Amino acid sequence: MSKIIFVLTNTEYVKNVARSTGFDVRETAAVWEKITNAGEQVTFTSPRGGPVKGVVKENKNRSVLNFLDSYPEAIVYTQDISSLELSDLELIYFVGGIGTMWDFPYNPAIHKLLGEAMKRQAIIASICHGSAAYLGAKYSDSTSIISGITLTGFSDDEENARNMLDKLPFSLEKRLISEGAIYEKAKEGESHVIVDMPFITAQNPSSAQNMAKIVYSSLIAKEGKQNGYAHQ
């Protein structure tokens, strides 16, 4: 059974983007390290399943180095989302990476996963482009699940600073707003994490370490309530 699920993109390359568009190892490693150091297991999944390769930047912090020790060459073998056992689900974490802009939005398998998370009152977390997972997901009354939710994700300012906005299928910032989200952002490259339960969202890779702390503390608080005691 999968209590903690990290969702990674299968899209490692896209037309008109010269570099790899796979999952961001920094964003994965920070939260993975915090959770696994506490003795929890992480299940990795992706829209199509199979091996996926992450993007590793030159400056590798401790979390990234530890992750690469466990997953050499940043290759992770993932389960197909549809194959997951979700009865004990406590946390979903949608990891960023440019490729998520192609295979996360409007994805029925991801919508079903989000529905199961809502039903089980699980924490729903995302970072950077991972917030694209929410696009198109709706309640039974056709209301977007992010309508009225305060959240963040990679901003247009950050896309423009990297000359990426015109290479993407759409503006993530504008599309989140169009689905009713209350989108907030910090300055380009600044850490920014928003909690509006059940959602925890982070703006960019600079937010990864803060995201790890907040996700972990929220998970501990959730488990404490379920077990009838509070962690100190």
Side-chain angles (χ1 to χ4, degrees):
M1 290 179 282
S2 304
K3 291 173 58 178
I4 298 171
I5 295 171
F6 283 31
V7 187
L8 311 178
T9 180
N10 291 108
T11 306
E12 297 176 18
Y13 296 97
V14 297
K15 187 178 179 180
N16 299 327
V17 178
R19 60 182 184 270
S20 172
T21 58
F23 74 90
D24 192 303
V25 170
R26 297 166 297 178
E27 298 168 0
T28 312
V31 183
W32 169 85
E33 182 181 55
K34 192 74 173 176
I35 288 173
T36 57
N37 280 353
E40 299 281 5
Q41 291 187 328
V42 170
T43 297
F44 289 100
T45 187
S46 62
R48 297 196 308 272
V52 297
K53 184 174 177 61
V55 176
V56 182
K57 302 296 184 179
E58 288 186 9
N59 295 326
K60 303 179 185 70
N61 61 21
R62 181 203 63 202
S63 299
V64 169
L65 291 172
N66 288 340
F67 184 85
L68 293 174
D69 282 343
S70 294
Y71 300 95
E73 299 183 36
I75 296 173
V76 177
Y77 289 84
T78 63
Q79 294 185 38
D80 185 298
I81 290 174
S82 62
S83 70
L84 296 172
E85 166 55 56
L86 301 173
S87 60
D88 283 350
L89 182 63
E90 293 184 359
L91 167 68
I92 300 172
Y93 178 42
F94 293 100
V95 176
I98 299 170
T100 63
M101 294 287 284
W102 277 263
D103 60 5
F104 278 17
Y106 314 106
N107 185 315
I110 287 179
H111 293 174
K112 184 176 180 181
L113 180 60
L114 286 165
E116 292 294 325
M118 291 283 195
K119 184 166 67 176
R120 290 170 171 77
Q121 299 182 319
I123 297 166
I124 301 170
S126 63
I127 187 169
C128 202
H129 294 95
S131 294
Y134 309 136
L135 296 174
K138 299 178 180 179
Y139 293 111
S140 57
D141 65 358
S142 297
T143 301
S144 169
I145 65 167
I146 56 172
S147 180
I149 298 294
T150 302
L151 52 66
T152 191
F154 211 58
S155 69
D156 284 355
D157 294 337
E158 290 167 313
E159 301 288 14
N160 283 323
R162 291 158 180 76
N163 297 314
M164 280 298 301
L165 191 57
D166 62 345
K167 298 177 177 65
L168 300 175
F170 53 82
S171 156
L172 177 59
E173 176 180 330
K174 289 183 174 64
R175 194 64 62 88
L176 291 168
I177 293 170
S178 75
E179 296 209 358
I182 302 167
Y183 177 87
E184 295 183 356
K185 62 183 176 181
K187 293 180 180 179
E188 190 269 327
E190 288 186 359
S191 176
H192 188 48
V193 181
I194 294 176
V195 179
D196 192 354
M197 285 300 200
F199 295 92
I200 304 174
T201 56
Q203 182 174 326
N204 50 37
S206 301
S207 311
Q209 293 298 328
N210 285 338
M211 183 65 157
K213 294 173 185 175
I214 293 170
V215 166
Y216 178 68
S217 63
S218 299
L219 188 61
I220 289 297
K222 183 177 187 298
E223 291 178 342
K225 288 179 181 178
Q226 290 176 338
N227 293 322
Y229 62 90
H231 291 257
Q232 298 299 319

Coordinates of all heavy atoms in Angstrom, one line a residue, residues 7-49:
V7 N 4.8 12.0 -7.5 CA 4.4 11.9 -8.9 C 5.5 12.6 -9.8 O 5.7 13.8 -9.6 CB 3.0 12.5 -9.2 CG1 2.6 12.2 -10.6 CG2 2.0 11.9 -8.2
L8 N 6.1 11.9 -10.7 CA 7.1 12.4 -11.6 C 6.7 12.5 -13.0 O 5.8 11.6 -13.5 CB 8.4 11.6 -11.5 CG 8.9 11.3 -10.1 CD1 10.1 10.4 -10.2 CD2 9.2 12.5 -9.3
T9 N 7.2 13.4 -13.8 CA 6.9 13.4 -15.2 C 7.6 12.3 -16.0 O 8.7 12.0 -15.7 CB 7.2 14.8 -15.8 OG1 6.9 14.8 -17.2 CG2 8.7 15.1 -15.7
N10 N 6.9 11.9 -17.1 CA 7.5 11.0 -18.1 C 8.2 11.7 -19.2 O 8.9 11.2 -20.0 CB 6.5 10.0 -18.7 CG 6.0 9.0 -17.7 OD1 4.8 9.1 -17.3 ND2 6.8 8.0 -17.3
T11 N 7.9 13.0 -19.3 CA 8.3 13.8 -20.5 C 9.7 14.4 -20.3 O 9.9 15.4 -19.6 CB 7.3 15.0 -20.7 OG1 6.0 14.4 -20.8 CG2 7.6 15.7 -22.0
E12 N 10.7 13.7 -20.9 CA 12.0 14.1 -20.7 C 12.6 15.0 -21.7 O 13.6 15.7 -21.5 CB 12.9 12.8 -20.6 CG 12.6 11.9 -19.4 CD 13.3 10.6 -19.4 OE1 14.4 10.5 -20.1 OE2 12.9 9.7 -18.7
Y13 N 11.9 15.0 -22.9 CA 12.3 15.9 -24.0 C 11.1 16.4 -24.7 O 10.1 15.6 -24.9 CB 13.3 15.2 -25.0 CG 14.6 14.8 -24.3 CD1 14.8 13.5 -23.9 CD2 15.6 15.7 -24.2 CE1 15.9 13.1 -23.3 CE2 16.8 15.4 -23.6 CZ 17.0 14.1 -23.1 OH 18.1 13.7 -22.5
V14 N 11.1 17.7 -25.1 CA 10.0 18.2 -25.9 C 10.6 19.1 -27.0 O 11.7 19.6 -26.9 CB 9.0 19.0 -25.1 CG1 8.3 18.2 -24.1 CG2 9.7 20.2 -24.4
K15 N 9.8 19.2 -28.1 CA 10.3 20.0 -29.2 C 10.5 21.5 -28.8 O 9.7 22.0 -28.0 CB 9.2 19.9 -30.3 CG 9.6 20.6 -31.6 CD 8.5 20.4 -32.7 CE 8.9 21.1 -34.0 NZ 7.8 20.9 -35.0
N16 N 11.5 22.1 -29.3 CA 11.8 23.5 -29.1 C 12.5 23.8 -27.8 O 12.7 25.0 -27.5 CB 10.6 24.4 -29.3 CG 10.0 24.3 -30.7 OD1 10.8 24.1 -31.7 ND2 8.7 24.5 -30.8
V17 N 12.7 22.8 -26.9 CA 13.4 23.0 -25.7 C 14.7 22.2 -25.7 O 14.7 20.9 -25.8 CB 12.5 22.5 -24.5 CG1 13.3 22.7 -23.2 CG2 11.2 23.3 -24.4
A18 N 15.8 22.9 -25.7 CA 17.1 22.2 -25.9 C 17.5 21.3 -24.8 O 18.2 20.3 -25.1 CB 18.2 23.3 -26.2
R19 N 17.1 21.6 -23.6 CA 17.6 20.8 -22.5 C 16.6 19.8 -22.0 O 15.4 19.8 -22.5 CB 18.0 21.7 -21.3 CG 16.8 22.6 -20.7 CD 17.3 23.4 -19.6 NE 16.3 24.2 -19.0 CZ 15.9 25.4 -19.4 NH1 16.4 26.0 -20.4 NH2 14.9 26.1 -18.7
S20 N 17.0 18.9 -21.2 CA 16.1 17.9 -20.6 C 15.0 18.5 -19.9 O 15.1 19.5 -19.2 CB 16.9 16.9 -19.7 OG 16.0 16.0 -19.1
T21 N 13.8 17.9 -20.0 CA 12.6 18.5 -19.3 C 12.1 17.5 -18.2 O 11.0 17.6 -17.8 CB 11.5 18.7 -20.3 OG1 11.2 17.5 -21.0 CG2 11.9 19.8 -21.3
G22 N 12.9 16.6 -17.8 CA 12.5 15.6 -16.8 C 12.3 16.2 -15.4 O 12.4 17.4 -15.2
F23 N 12.0 15.3 -14.4 CA 11.7 15.8 -13.1 C 12.9 16.5 -12.5 O 14.0 16.1 -12.8 CB 11.2 14.7 -12.2 CG 12.2 13.7 -11.8 CD1 12.9 13.9 -10.6 CD2 12.4 12.5 -12.5 CE1 13.8 12.9 -10.1 CE2 13.4 11.6 -12.1 CZ 14.1 11.8 -10.9
D24 N 12.6 17.5 -11.6 CA 13.7 18.2 -11.0 C 14.2 17.5 -9.8 O 13.5 17.3 -8.8 CB 13.2 19.6 -10.6 CG 14.3 20.6 -10.2 OD1 15.1 20.2 -9.2 OD2 14.4 21.7 -10.8
V25 N 15.5 17.1 -9.8 CA 16.0 16.3 -8.7 C 16.1 17.1 -7.4 O 15.9 16.5 -6.3 CB 17.4 15.7 -9.1 CG1 18.1 15.1 -7.9 CG2 17.2 14.7 -10.2
R26 N 16.4 18.4 -7.5 CA 16.4 19.2 -6.2 C 15.1 19.2 -5.5 O 15.0 19.0 -4.3 CB 16.8 20.6 -6.6 CG 18.1 20.8 -7.2 CD 18.2 22.2 -7.8 NE 17.3 22.4 -8.9 CZ 17.1 23.5 -9.6 NH1 17.9 24.6 -9.3 NH2 16.3 23.6 -10.6
E27 N 14.0 19.3 -6.3 CA 12.7 19.4 -5.7 C 12.3 18.0 -5.1 O 11.5 17.9 -4.1 CB 11.7 19.8 -6.7 CG 12.0 21.2 -7.2 CD 11.2 21.6 -8.5 OE1 10.4 20.8 -9.0 OE2 11.3 22.7 -9.0
T28 N 12.7 17.0 -5.8 CA 12.4 15.6 -5.3 C 13.2 15.3 -4.0 O 12.7 14.8 -3.0 CB 12.8 14.6 -6.4 OG1 12.3 15.0 -7.6 CG2 12.3 13.2 -6.0
A29 N 14.5 15.6 -4.1 CA 15.5 15.1 -3.1 C 15.2 15.7 -1.7 O 15.3 15.0 -0.7 CB 16.9 15.4 -3.5
A30 N 14.9 17.0 -1.7 CA 14.7 17.7 -0.4 C 13.5 17.0 0.4 O 13.7 16.7 1.6 CB 14.4 19.2 -0.7
V31 N 12.4 16.8 -0.2 CA 11.3 16.2 0.5 C 11.5 14.7 0.7 O 11.2 14.2 1.8 CB 10.0 16.4 -0.3 CG1 8.8 15.9 0.4 CG2 9.8 17.9 -0.6
W32 N 12.1 14.0 -0.3 CA 12.4 12.6 -0.1 C 13.3 12.4 1.1 O 13.1 11.5 1.9 CB 13.0 12.1 -1.4 CG 13.7 10.8 -1.3 CD1 13.0 9.5 -1.5 CD2 15.0 10.4 -1.1 NE1 13.9 8.5 -1.4 CE2 15.2 9.0 -1.1 CE3 16.2 11.2 -0.8 CZ2 16.4 8.4 -0.9 CZ3 17.4 10.6 -0.6 CH2 17.5 9.2 -0.6
E33 N 14.4 13.2 1.2 CA 15.3 13.0 2.3 C 14.6 13.2 3.6 O 14.8 12.4 4.6 CB 16.5 14.0 2.1 CG 17.5 13.8 3.2 CD 18.7 14.8 3.1 OE1 18.4 16.0 3.0 OE2 19.8 14.3 3.0
K34 N 13.9 14.2 3.8 CA 13.2 14.5 5.0 C 12.3 13.4 5.4 O 12.2 13.0 6.6 CB 12.4 15.8 4.9 CG 11.9 16.4 6.2 CD 13.0 17.1 7.0 CE 12.5 17.8 8.2 NZ 13.6 18.4 9.0
I35 N 11.6 12.9 4.5 CA 10.6 11.8 4.8 C 11.3 10.5 5.1 O 10.9 9.8 6.0 CB 9.6 11.7 3.7 CG1 8.6 12.9 3.7 CG2 8.7 10.4 3.8 CD1 7.7 13.0 2.5
T36 N 12.2 10.1 4.2 CA 12.9 8.8 4.4 C 13.8 8.8 5.6 O 13.9 7.7 6.2 CB 13.7 8.4 3.1 OG1 14.6 9.4 2.8 CG2 12.7 8.2 2.0
N37 N 14.4 9.9 6.0 CA 15.2 9.9 7.2 C 14.3 9.7 8.4 O 14.9 9.3 9.5 CB 15.9 11.3 7.3 CG 17.1 11.4 6.5 OD1 17.6 10.4 5.9 ND2 17.7 12.6 6.4
A38 N 13.0 9.9 8.3 CA 12.1 9.6 9.4 C 11.6 8.2 9.4 O 10.7 7.9 10.2 CB 10.9 10.6 9.4
G39 N 12.1 7.4 8.5 CA 11.7 6.0 8.4 C 10.5 5.7 7.6 O 10.0 4.6 7.5
E40 N 10.0 6.7 6.8 CA 8.9 6.5 5.9 C 9.4 6.0 4.6 O 10.5 6.3 4.2 CB 8.0 7.7 5.8 CG 7.4 8.3 7.1 CD 6.2 7.5 7.5 OE1 5.8 6.5 6.9 OE2 5.6 7.9 8.5
Q41 N 8.5 5.3 3.8 CA 8.8 4.9 2.5 C 8.1 5.8 1.5 O 7.0 6.2 1.7 CB 8.4 3.5 2.3 CG 9.3 2.5 3.0 CD 9.0 1.0 2.7 OE1 7.8 0.7 2.3 NE2 10.0 0.2 2.7
V42 N 8.7 6.0 0.3 CA 8.1 6.8 -0.7 C 7.9 5.9 -1.9 O 8.8 5.1 -2.3 CB 9.1 8.0 -1.1 CG1 8.6 8.6 -2.4 CG2 9.2 9.0 0.0
T43 N 6.7 6.0 -2.5 CA 6.4 5.3 -3.7 C 6.4 6.3 -4.9 O 5.8 7.3 -4.8 CB 4.9 4.7 -3.7 OG1 4.9 3.7 -2.6 CG2 4.6 4.0 -5.0
F44 N 7.2 6.0 -5.9 CA 7.3 6.9 -7.0 C 6.4 6.4 -8.1 O 6.3 5.2 -8.4 CB 8.7 6.9 -7.6 CG 9.7 7.6 -6.7 CD1 10.5 6.9 -5.8 CD2 9.8 9.0 -6.7 CE1 11.4 7.6 -5.0 CE2 10.7 9.7 -5.9 CZ 11.5 9.0 -5.0
T45 N 5.7 7.3 -8.7 CA 4.7 7.0 -9.8 C 4.9 8.1 -10.9 O 5.5 9.1 -10.7 CB 3.3 7.0 -9.3 OG1 2.4 6.5 -10.3 CG2 2.8 8.3 -8.8
S46 N 4.3 7.8 -12.0 CA 4.3 8.7 -13.2 C 3.1 8.4 -14.0 O 2.5 7.3 -13.9 CB 5.6 8.6 -14.0 OG 5.7 7.3 -14.5
P47 N 2.7 9.2 -14.9 CA 1.5 9.0 -15.7 C 1.5 7.7 -16.5 O 0.5 7.0 -16.6 CB 1.4 10.2 -16.6 CG 2.0 11.3 -15.8 CD 3.1 10.6 -15.1
R48 N 2.7 7.3 -17.0 CA 2.8 6.1 -17.8 C 3.6 5.0 -17.1 O 3.7 3.9 -17.6 CB 3.5 6.4 -19.2 CG 2.7 7.4 -20.1 CD 3.2 7.3 -21.5 NE 4.7 7.5 -21.6 CZ 5.3 8.7 -21.7 NH1 4.5 9.8 -21.7 NH2 6.6 8.8 -21.8
G49 N 4.2 5.3 -16.0 CA 5.0 4.3 -15.3 C 6.4 4.1 -16.0 O 6.7 4.8 -17.0

